[in-house]
Amino acid sequence: MSTTPKALITGITGQDGSYLAELLLEKGYDVVGVARRSSTVTFERIAHLQEDIEIAFGDLLDQYSMIKLLEDHQPVEVYNLAAQSFVPTSFDQPVLTGEITGLGVTRVLDAIRVVDPSIRFYQASSSEMFGKVQEVPQTEATPLYPRSPYGVAKVYGHWITINYRESYGLHASSGILFNHESPRRGHEFLPRKVSYNVAKIALGLQDELRLGNLDARRDWGFAGDYVEAMWLMLQQDEPDDYVVSTGETHEVRELVQLAFEHVGKNYEDHVVIDEKFYRPAEVDLLIGDATKAEKQLGWKPKTSFPELVAMMVDADIALLKGDLKGISH
Ligand code: NAP
Ligand code: F7E
């Protein structure tokens, strides 16, 4: 029998799935990535890994598919990264978001309970759970006050993970990750929307960038750094919950300004405020305190905020020039 550890990642086609798969391959794992059936190919972020990982089909909406995945592949670790993760969509499709991002977690946990309770489990919890923040900075002990259907669904996922840990003794951990970005980020999220459009403006392909609330503050890190914390959580003797963040907060405006400055431009000449991008309820301020992750996991972020913004703008310039497929960072 093979002694190579096997990990199963839901959400393999997403930003974090691709970075986590790379990390686990480097560490010698066999990696099974769960994708959902689609009429178009959604493997852009993992195209470079397709020879090295196994793709299996399943859906967080379908309980039996979760059970079958575990029976067929017998992983020792499961990383639940799948979610409807875009906050504005959660206001438009609150029930679907609850089904996937909330109840979907129970479907995975229950499959583990039934098939093999020794499987270690990682849940992708989110700083959106802090919402209207009750404490600054936010720690594992800060009370939760979500401000969107996405945030509410993540609170459910977070607590059901704790509940399965306490009820059934599962090695189930939650990473409360603050915003993390990369050149592989979806184009609808603020930092990627900015980097891609700044790149277009720098190349003379357009002149205007329409954005919403520039006053919100976020704690932004690099996704490549954050997946390391996920893996570290599952290597601990005991399961637990950890905040993963940089400990710095920046206004949306600052990120926009920095991205434009990187290409020698003034954001005020190009940005137009559009009410369409405002949300029914906003999360005004996020800043995490990752002391526990540093002390217990030995984890620290490596990429600074200016490095992250420059990396994303440069990658989008290269992508638009056709030098890069957007996947090598
Ligand atoms: P992402 O790029 O939006 O990826 C989400 C993944 O979930 C995609 O692979 C998507 O598949 C999959 N998915 C959606 N619905 C599904 C379903 N019903 N069944 C199976 N798979 C489904 O998200 P990300 O940025 O990589 O984030 C990873 C996880 O961390 C998510 O749970 C997110 O909520 C959470 N999180 C993210 C951040 C952040 O700043 N990035 C911070 C905190 C927490 P398709 O490709 O088919 O759509
Ligand atoms: O917005 C403001 C917007 O969509 C950041 C997800 O990964 O992180 C992410 O959630 C801020 C908000 O991310 C635009 O109002 C202004 O204040 O990049 P975002 P998010 O909502 O913070 C958490 C941790 C997650 O877990 C989520 O899955 O930027 N903003 N103008 C805008 N945002 C967008 N998207 N588009 C704009 O035009």
Side-chain angles (χ1 to χ4, degrees):
M1 215 171 97
S2 160
T3 52
T4 308
K6 188 182 277 189
L8 184 136
I9 304 174
T10 71
I12 191 71
T13 56
Q15 171 188 256
D16 291 6
S18 67
Y19 285 106
L20 180 63
E22 281 170 9
L23 179 80
L24 295 179
L25 287 170
E26 267 168 42
K27 294 194 179 294
Y29 283 72
D30 284 341
V31 175
V32 179
V34 180
R36 53 182 175 165
R37 197 261 161 194
S38 159
S39 68
T40 53
V41 178
T42 56
F43 295 169
E44 188 187 325
R45 296 186 178 101
I46 48 166
H48 62 300
L49 299 176
Q50 279 200 49
E51 300 287 300
D52 305 315
I53 65 179
E54 187 176 351
I55 296 293
F57 287 88
D59 197 305
L60 252 63
L61 297 175
D62 187 272
Q63 177 72 72
Y64 179 66
S65 71
M66 293 299 123
I67 292 172
K68 184 147 186 349
L69 281 168
L70 300 187
E71 284 176 347
D72 288 353
H73 297 283
Q74 300 181 10
V76 293
E77 294 174 8
V78 168
Y79 295 84
N80 183 38
L81 308 187
Q84 189 308 94
S85 77
F86 190 46
V87 170
T89 297
S90 80
F91 285 103
D92 294 336
Q93 300 179 8
V95 175
L96 181 69
T97 301
E99 283 284 356
I100 300 172
T101 306
L103 272 181
V105 187
T106 311
R107 295 191 185 97
V108 183
L109 282 165
D110 222 37
I112 291 176
R113 181 181 68 81
V114 169
V115 176
D116 177 3
S118 75
I119 293 171
R120 294 188 173 199
F121 175 78
Y122 172 83
Q123 167 57 14
S125 287
S126 165
S127 55
E128 281 294 300
M129 300 189 307
F130 296 122
K132 189 171 177 181
V133 297
Q134 303 295 295
E135 191 175 37
V136 177
Q138 295 85 52
T139 72
E140 296 77 7
T142 302
L144 307 178
Y145 193 140
R147 293 271 282 171
S148 65
Y150 168 78
V152 173
K154 280 289 178 189
V155 171
Y156 175 89
H158 186 68
W159 277 104
I160 200 72
T161 300
I162 294 168
N163 181 259
Y164 269 58
R165 177 164 82 213
E166 294 176 354
S167 304
Y168 306 114
L170 297 192
H171 193 295
S173 295
S174 269
I176 307 173
L177 270 53
F178 283 60
N179 298 53
H180 47 280
E181 314 294 326
S182 74
R184 300 181 199 171
R185 185 60 140 151
H187 284 257
E188 66 276 41
F189 297 92
L190 182 275
R192 184 72 196 284
K193 181 176 174 182
V194 171
S195 66
Y196 191 71
N197 285 282
V198 164
K200 276 181 135 179
I201 291 167
L203 295 174
L205 300 172
Q206 72 180 47
D207 197 46
E208 187 181 279
L209 170 55
R210 302 184 84 81
L211 294 174
N213 179 14
L214 301 189
D215 297 327
R217 302 180 73 94
R218 290 289 184 277
D219 179 330
W220 277 293
F222 172 50
D225 294 345
Y226 283 31
V227 295
E228 179 102 37
M230 299 176 186
W231 174 76
L232 284 166
M233 285 176 218
L234 296 208
Q235 310 319 305
Q236 305 306 302
D237 289 341
E238 298 300 326
D240 209 338
D241 307 318
Y242 298 89
V243 160
V244 176
S245 64
T246 70
E248 276 181 31
T249 191
H250 299 274
E251 267 186 13
V252 169
R253 183 178 286 98
E254 260 179 276
L255 185 146
V256 173
Q257 184 176 2
L258 206 56
F260 274 97
E261 279 173 6
H262 188 64
V263 298
K265 295 198 181 283
N266 181 350
Y267 82 96
E268 287 170 318
D269 296 336
H270 302 277
V271 170
V272 175
I273 299 302
D274 188 335
E275 294 288 322
K276 184 170 86 183
F277 297 110
Y278 275 72
R279 298 171 181 187
E282 178 62 281
V283 172
D284 295 321
L285 164 71
L286 290 175
I287 176 165
D289 175 352
T291 305
K292 180 174 170 184
E294 186 176 347
K295 282 200 178 137
Q296 292 189 27
L297 306 177
W299 179 87
K300 264 173 110 163
K302 299 187 184 109
T303 312
S304 72
F305 179 64
E307 284 167 353
L308 174 65
V309 174
M311 176 207 299
M312 291 179 70
V313 174
D314 288 343
D316 276 325
I317 290 175
L319 177 70
L320 284 161
K321 284 181 168 171
D323 294 349
L324 188 73
K325 289 225 152 50
I327 208 72
S328 64
H329 283 77

